[in-house]
Every structure is written in C-alpha cells, then in structure tokens.
Amino acid sequence: MHMMVFRPEQWVKPMAVAGANQYTFHLEATENPGTLIKDIRENGMKVGLAIKPGTTVEYLAPWANQIDMALVMTVEPGFGGQKFMEDMIPKVHWLRTQFSSLDIEVDGGVGPDTVHKCAEWSGRALSFQSKLKTAPYHLGDLRQATQPP
C-alpha cells in the first residue's frame, strides 16, 4: 500500500486491519520515521519508504537497513500523467550500489519509452498507473521493453 498522505502514522493500524501486507510512506510526511517503521512492523507489515524528486537519496540512507523497499518517485506525487523525470535514475543506481539487497521501486511516468531505463538501473518494480489507462499498448509491450537486447 503506497500511502501518499500527511501524518501516515494514523493509517498504519487501519491498513493492517484491512489486510495490507506492506505499508509504504513518504519520508517527507513524518517527523519520526524510526517510530513509524517500528509501528508498521509491529502491525505485521513490510515497510516501504518513498522519497519525492526534491529529496536527496542520502536522506533515505539512514533507514535503508530497516526497510524492505525504497520507492523513488519519478514524478511529483499526486498528479497523474506527468512526464518521467529521468534525472531520478541516478537515485535508483545509488541505492542499488549502496544497498544491493534492498527492493527498489520507481513510480511515475513509466511507459515503453522509459521502462528500459528503470529496469537497467535495477528498479525491480515499476508503477504504470495512468500510462496503462491512456496508452495504446499492452502489458506485453512493457515486458518486452525491459528485456535485454
């Protein structure tokens, strides 16, 4: 569950009760990430930590060994249909080199023209949301775009 909310602390228990198995929150939305990470774990969920484009990836680093997944936003959160921000790919690469076993996801503006860049830099999970709704291509096309030549 990717929670793009203020005060993500208030939604941990309701999401756990609803059956969520992972809770991803934005680092910028909380004043105490360590306490929130602990609360998520105590409620039986995996922990995901997202950063917005304007947040340095090093800001996430102190928490990387306490989380299951890092999410690099490749658009500004909250507005669908934005163009992929290619200058976010170095963040994915940095995380991959510093924390090789960490799951890394990217979210925003990912489509056939950008999916190969994400896969190349080891963004293992990609979010397509509005691209799949509006584009004239199929999931198979996106899968093919991530395969080596």
Side-chain angles (χ1 to χ4, degrees), residues 8-9 12 23 25 30 32-41:
E9 297 82 1
V12 173
Y23 190 97
F25 67 95
T30 184
N32 196 337
T35 300
L36 182 52
I37 289 168
K38 184 177 181 227
D39 190 28
I40 294 166
R41 290 241 185 263

